[in-house]
Amino acid sequence: LERLTGRYLELSRGRRAELSPADPLEIVRDVVRVEEAAFAREDVVVQVSGDAGGVGELDVDAARRALRNVLLNAVEAGAGTVHIAVNRDGPIVRITVEDDGPGMTQTAVSQAFDPFFTTKTQGTGLGLAISRQELEDVGGDLRCDATSASGSTFSIDVPVV
């Protein structure tokens, strides 16, 4: 209950961007390295590609948390392969996470970012909601761009100065 309450409070509070110099592509590679054991345990192959234009000032924590959340959701959903593309478009770095899991129903897509909505037996339904709110608070976004019977695609937009 305490953990759940803490996560709910995170969602209700706005946060300010905490900018640090970082290379978005290296942030993605680092998150993948940290979660390597989880991927190996579930036989998930993660591929990273792209060019984010080198070092820029961005909210590293918001980007890391959103990416980790989306990646672990893909693993828990049963993806076998996850492709992450990192690209910069002016003041935005877009991290696209595409998996070959079972996909999501239209209902799940429309409610994915609603607090307490979950399709997991052990989930709280706060991970995506909090990640999206954190990104919006710093001028970014998190969305589900495409889904089908054979996978899902999420985009994480992080502002870069």
Side-chain angles (χ1 to χ4, degrees):
L1 183 57
E2 186 176 320
R3 184 176 59 122
L4 183 62
T5 301
R7 291 193 74 195
Y8 185 69
L9 288 172
E10 285 178 37
L11 180 62
S12 66
R13 280 181 273 202
R15 72 184 286 276
R16 289 189 169 167
E18 296 177 18
L19 301 179
S20 328
D23 180 336
L25 191 54
E26 284 308 309
I27 292 170
V28 169
R29 288 181 176 141
D30 187 52
V31 170
V32 170
R33 274 190 299 271
V34 168
E35 298 302 331
E36 212 168 67
F39 302 142
R41 195 170 38 253
E42 300 297 327
D43 292 323
V44 176
V45 175
V46 179
Q47 304 162 334
V48 178
S49 67
D51 181 11
V55 174
E57 295 271 331
L58 67 145
D59 192 316
V60 174
D61 289 338
R64 287 177 63 83
R65 280 191 292 270
L67 177 59
R68 183 177 181 275
N69 192 293
V70 171
L71 281 173
L72 294 180
N73 283 347
V75 170
E76 291 172 4
T81 302
V82 177
H83 180 77
I84 306 168
V86 184
N87 295 291
R88 186 165 181 172
D89 184 14
I92 297 290
V93 167
R94 176 160 296 143
I95 303 168
T96 306
V97 181
E98 186 174 358
D99 71 62
D100 66 352
M104 299 167 63
T105 66
Q106 280 307 110
T107 301
V109 170
S110 67
Q111 296 179 318
F113 301 101
D114 292 349
F116 303 110
F117 174 79
T118 184
T119 58
K120 302 176 196 172
T121 57
Q122 299 293 320
T124 63
L126 291 174
L128 288 175
I130 290 171
S131 292
R132 177 186 250 180
Q133 185 64 54
E134 277 189 335
L135 287 167
E136 287 177 349
D137 286 348
V138 300
D141 195 17
L142 171 61
R143 66 188 171 282
C144 184
D145 291 323
T147 187
S148 67
S150 61
S152 300
T153 302
F154 283 80
S155 290
I156 301 166
D157 288 350
V158 183
V160 178
V161 181

